Amino acid sequence: MNDPVMGGKSTSSYVNEDGIAKFTGVCAIVSFLQAPGFVTLQTGRYGQGNTETFPDVSTCTALKVVMKSNVPYDGYRISFGAKRGKMRHGMGYKAPALTVPSEFDAVVLPFRDFSLHWDEGTGDILTSCSDDESVCPDLETLRDMKALAFWGEGVEGEVSLEIKSISAVGCGVDATKSDLEDVEGEAESANAEGEDIDTLVVKPDAQNHADPNRSPNEAKDNNAGIARWTLHTAKWGTLTTVSGGVLSGSGHSKNLDDAQPLFASVLPYATDEETGRIFFYLMGSHHLPESTLTVSQASINPNLFAFGGCGTSISSAVDAQDPRCAKISVSGAIHPCNAHDVAENCDSVGREALFVAHPAMEDWPKDHDFIVHELIPRDDGFWMLANFGGGSKITRDLYSSCEKEAIKPHAIQGGSIVVATPFAGNGSPKSMPVWSARAERARWIVHNSLWVSLSTLDKNGDGTFGNIRAITDGDTLGLSTGLPVFNLPDVDPAAINMRAHDMTIALTFTEASLHSRITSKGETCAAQDAGSPTCAQVVIYGKAKALDTGSEEYKKALKNFGVSHPLASWLSQGGSHMPGTYFTIQPTSISILDYFGGAVDVLVDEYLGVTFDDEPGNNAKHASTYTNIMLGLVIGILFGCFGNSCLKCLCYRRDRSDRIKDPRAEYGTLSTTTEVNCKEDKNGTNSELTSYATIM
């Protein structure tokens, strides 16, 4: 339909060629109004007598349109429905102007992006769904859209749009609450394409319909292969175990700390490529029967760190919290290789795997009692989310017996094209506080982190669990609070565990995930292994606190997510289609490992009292990598570090003491080894580079 306004000169046409809808025309200036008019391609019941009923998409979260534009044009829009709102003539729910790719690609439009209140002259949204629920698509319309239209509106110019398919995604028809026990839904879903393009009928994704003969918790196709690839490629993860463990000979007696029953730490690890067995290299012998290793695919590709992205390439990236970004939690017991609980050839297989993944480990001193440990998963100890439809359990046998052909990179489908500026500098930005300013350093790490490992106790009280969440604590460092906000669907395993244990959680952050700590060569954490004393990590222990929906704190959090997570629009719009809650944390204790000598406590009040100036160069105190390393070398020598590598056991201490305790004499919660390269950076420079994501 062309602009019917008096003096309207806009024209358009439509043809169907080989199943492709081709919509061309010109959006021209209306002489009477001296403003651009509009052209539309529409189907359905706009008073034209069409009685066709649209499919019910009320259980879905978004529209997905595979399309392209043959010309640069900024006025493409989509609307659906025949409901009248506050407009005099306009009908239906409309989305903001689209950025349409020049080659066929998927454009996903969450239903929460559509509004019933838009400007009839320009098409611009006047009241957004996130600001006023009354303008959000209602259930009646989603059950039968009645009409669907593509627009060229409000922008003068040539229109040339080709539409390959339309589908509704994020659908969960027939799913019950019990079915969704472990399901995590986000704002988008599987990529089944719509049919019948010549009439532009939206079809829901049949692959997401619940099958009464199949549990949603069964492993999805090739989940075992994805788990094997992700665990082998990632190299580090967060280990969660119970706090207050006491070593006694070769046993591990449970003695929970009532104030803080969890312990979490970032650790390097390795898997055997042939079998998938998981190994650590720890100082001394440790038996940790209630442990979980949590790993994210978002830790693998540094090119996507600047915006919390995840994927094997920049041509298809999603947010770290997106279901398509693989997240794996492996629960079981950790034992030294000299224990009877481990599999055969534990030491030899483990050493080979560890030394390939972390070559520096092979040179660690032989007299420091480094022992290979193996994580023995429970039979049902693998939980993974790597696609839409919810988390899956993978059995130990399925994981270990996975065919080699199935172990391949997890290439994410339907993600966004992103562009990031090249890496530069030595991985030590000027804004980074000096290691000795621990409260400031902890706050800096928390603010610059875009995702976090969330640790909980298992709901049944017989283990631990971890999951990955996107976070924000402010849109700038100067406005940061130090109290990160995250979103959890009510049926997420972590949410269920929290409610069963008085909202007890731990949040673990590491500089290994920060874009600003990447060198010009693409090395994360200034070329240090995750877990190294100069690759700092922070753990905040405490209670999860729900934000009141609609409160100023809630609104600010949504705004901050919109700034920090461009690949996850649903986080700035109140969450996904699944009922959920935004949480922050009420800290009870905070630890930081940011230098030689082990992790230490940071007083909560001191941490929360830190303030930053957003002016360049006026942030918290900083020091060069060279200064840090030289100081580390001196301290390292005092504690027995020699040669090019400084080794020191990380023994977490709960007494805020600066004394170094021999972990073999007194066990806190966990001991491990770390490695730091004690050579001066050849660049001799300190520079900071900020990278911005552009969704094409």
Side-chain angles (χ1 to χ4, degrees):
M1 182 175 74
N2 302 323
D3 188 354
V5 177
M6 184 173 60
K9 297 181 179 180
S10 300
T11 60
S12 63
S13 63
Y14 156 73
V15 295
N16 183 339
E17 292 184 0
D18 299 324
I20 306 296
K22 296 186 176 182
F23 174 40
T24 58
V26 175
C27 184
I29 296 294
V30 179
S31 57
F32 177 75
L33 300 174
Q34 286 301 301
F38 67 87
V39 292
T40 63
L41 171 65
Q42 60 190 39
T43 185
R45 303 193 295 281
Y46 280 117
Q48 298 151 321
N50 190 332
T51 59
E52 183 175 15
T53 300
F54 280 65
D56 183 348
V57 297
S58 60
T59 64
C60 307
T61 63
L63 285 180
K64 189 192 77 171
V65 184
V66 177
M67 59 182 170
K68 71 173 183 177
S69 177
N70 299 315
V71 295
Y73 182 69
D74 296 327
Y76 291 121
R77 302 174 190 273
I78 296 178
S79 68
F80 64 79
K83 186 174 182 179
R84 291 190 184 276
K86 300 178 181 180
M87 295 89 69
R88 183 178 179 182
H89 302 290
M91 293 186 297
Y93 298 89
K94 187 174 286 189
L98 308 174
T99 299
V100 180
S102 59
E103 299 294 337
F104 278 120
D105 205 348
V107 176
V108 177
L109 297 163
F111 288 139
R112 292 187 65 86
D113 283 357
F114 289 81
S115 171
L116 192 60
H117 188 202
W118 41 274
D119 190 303
E120 294 181 85
T122 65
D124 293 338
I125 302 300
L126 298 177
T127 304
S128 68
C129 171
S130 60
D131 290 335
D132 184 353
E133 291 285 340
S134 69
V135 301
C136 299
D138 60 13
L139 189 61
E140 180 184 1
T141 300
L142 292 176
R143 285 175 173 168
D144 179 7
M145 288 184 173
K146 293 185 173 63
L148 179 69
F150 289 80
W151 300 65
E153 181 181 24
V155 177
E156 182 183 12
E158 181 183 356
V159 173
S160 181
L161 185 67
E162 296 189 23
I163 306 161
K164 190 174 185 180
S165 66
I166 307 171
S167 57
V169 295
C171 310
V173 178
D174 298 332
T176 65
K177 185 174 181 180
S178 60
D179 289 332
L180 298 172
E181 180 76 6
D182 286 330
V183 170
E184 176 180 1
E186 301 297 358
E188 304 148 5
S189 191
N191 293 330
E193 295 181 353
E195 301 173 3
D196 201 7
I197 190 67
D198 60 332
T199 55
L200 303 182
V201 175
V202 181
K203 300 286 186 179
D205 179 6
Q207 294 180 357
N208 275 345
H209 292 186
D211 181 350
N213 299 314
R214 182 177 185 271
S215 167
N217 295 330
E218 292 178 2
K220 310 295 190 299
D221 291 344
N222 198 36
N223 264 2
I226 296 172
R228 287 282 296 272
W229 175 82
T230 305
L231 287 169
H232 186 70
T233 308
K235 302 295 188 295
W236 64 266
T238 297
L239 181 68
T240 304
T241 190
V242 294
S243 179
V246 178
L247 282 179
S248 177
S250 60
H252 179 82
S253 60
K254 182 176 177 181
N255 181 23
L256 280 177
D257 179 348
D258 291 336
Q260 181 50 61
L262 284 170
F263 172 79
S265 179
V266 171
L267 290 178
Y269 73 92
T271 67
D272 173 48
E273 190 170 10
E274 293 298 320
T275 63
R277 293 166 65 183
I278 302 169
F279 300 97
F280 302 92
Y281 205 34
L282 308 181
M283 181 178 284
S285 295
H286 307 287
H287 295 266
L288 305 171
E290 298 177 89
S291 298
T292 297
L293 175 67
T294 303
V295 175
S296 172
Q297 185 184 357
S299 69
I300 294 175
N301 189 350
N303 291 307
L304 304 177
F305 282 13
F307 34 90
C310 175
T312 55
S313 74
I314 62 173
S315 63
S316 184
V318 297
D319 190 83
Q321 186 168 314
D322 191 290
R324 291 167 289 182
C325 179
K327 308 159 189 66
I328 305 166
S329 281
V330 187
S331 298
I334 295 175
H335 298 291
C337 281
N338 57 13
H340 68 276
D341 308 84
V342 299
E344 61 181 12
N345 302 319
C346 173
D347 188 74
S348 60
V349 175
R351 283 179 184 275
E352 181 178 355
L354 287 162
F355 295 165
V356 169
H358 307 278
M361 286 183 177
E362 191 168 6
D363 297 327
W364 290 357
K366 309 302 180 187
D367 60 352
H368 278 51
D369 198 22
F370 300 133
I371 297 176
V372 178
H373 289 63
E374 183 171 1
L375 171 57
I376 308 299
R378 299 195 313 256
D379 288 341
D380 62 346
F382 291 87
W383 179 91
M384 189 175 100
L385 180 65
N387 218 316
F388 299 102
S392 296
K393 292 292 185 70
I394 305 173
T395 65
R396 186 171 60 191
D397 288 343
L398 185 61
Y399 170 84
S400 60
S401 63
C402 183
E403 296 291 336
K404 188 174 183 179
E405 293 75 17
I407 304 172
K408 53 189 177 182
H410 178 44
I412 291 171
Q413 303 298 316
S416 298
I417 302 171
V418 295
V419 177
T421 53
F423 307 125
N426 62 0
S428 297
K430 291 182 178 180
S431 67
M432 183 175 67
V434 67
W435 69 273
S436 57
R438 290 186 170 114
E440 289 85 352
R441 184 69 171 269
R443 283 285 301 274
W444 184 86
I445 293 168
V446 169
H447 173 70
N448 283 281
S449 297
L450 294 175
W451 56 272
V452 68
S453 293
L454 168 64
S455 298
T456 63
L457 294 166
D458 184 80
K459 63 181 180 180
N460 298 319
D462 58 356
T464 52
F465 180 75
N467 202 351
I468 303 298
R469 308 316 295 168
I471 57 167
T472 181
D473 84 327
D475 59 1
T476 67
L477 186 61
L479 297 175
S480 65
T481 64
L483 300 174
V485 175
F486 58 94
N487 175 270
L488 269 179
D490 294 341
V491 295
D492 188 279
I496 295 170
N497 292 341
M498 282 164 37
R499 293 193 293 269
H501 293 281
D502 194 28
M503 307 303 281
T504 297
I505 61 171
L507 301 178
T508 304
F509 311 79
T510 172
E511 288 182 331
S513 69
L514 305 187
H515 177 264
S516 57
R517 291 284 271 147
I518 303 174
T519 70
S520 59
K521 297 180 180 180
E523 302 161 312
T524 61
C525 213
Q528 307 301 321
D529 262 347
S532 162
T534 55
C535 182
Q537 58 178 283
V538 174
V539 187
I540 304 179
Y541 299 95
K543 306 290 186 181
K545 173 194 170 187
L547 303 187
D548 293 331
T549 302
S551 66
E552 288 304 313
E553 186 180 20
Y554 175 87
K555 293 178 181 178
K556 186 178 294 185
L558 297 190
K559 179 182 177 182
N560 293 339
F561 270 117
V563 173
S564 60
H565 290 270
L567 299 177
S569 60
W570 74 89
L571 290 174
S572 64
Q573 298 168 355
S576 71
H577 69 294
M578 301 291 290
T581 305
Y582 285 84
F583 294 94
T584 186
I585 187 170
Q586 294 178 308
T588 55
S589 63
I590 302 169
S591 73
I592 182 171
L593 170 67
D594 64 340
Y595 213 54
F596 303 99
V600 297
D601 280 351
V602 175
L603 294 175
V604 173
D605 289 344
E606 182 181 0
Y607 169 85
L608 295 177
V610 171
T611 58
F612 292 94
D613 187 343
D614 272 330
E615 291 298 318
N618 292 330
N619 289 315
K621 294 181 290 184
H622 63 275
S624 68
T625 298
Y626 176 76
T627 302
N628 276 347
I629 295 302
M630 293 308 295
L631 285 172
L633 179 59
V634 173
I635 294 175
I637 290 174
L638 293 177
F639 292 111
C641 284
F642 300 95
N644 290 332
S645 294
C646 295
L647 304 170
K648 188 60 196 173
C649 172
L650 311 182
C651 181
Y652 179 66
R653 303 187 306 282
R654 303 292 298 176
D655 60 359
R656 300 187 177 90
S657 169
D658 287 329
R659 297 190 303 272
I660 303 301
K661 295 184 178 182
D662 185 347
R664 290 165 289 185
E666 181 172 349
Y667 174 73
T669 48
L670 184 67
S671 299
T672 183
T673 57
T674 59
E675 183 272 338
V676 174
N677 187 340
C678 295
K679 295 180 180 179
E680 179 184 1
D681 190 317
K682 293 181 180 179
N683 295 328
T685 59
N686 254 334
S687 62
E688 181 177 16
L689 180 68
T690 301
S691 178
Y692 297 91
T694 302
I695 302 177
M696 305 300 288

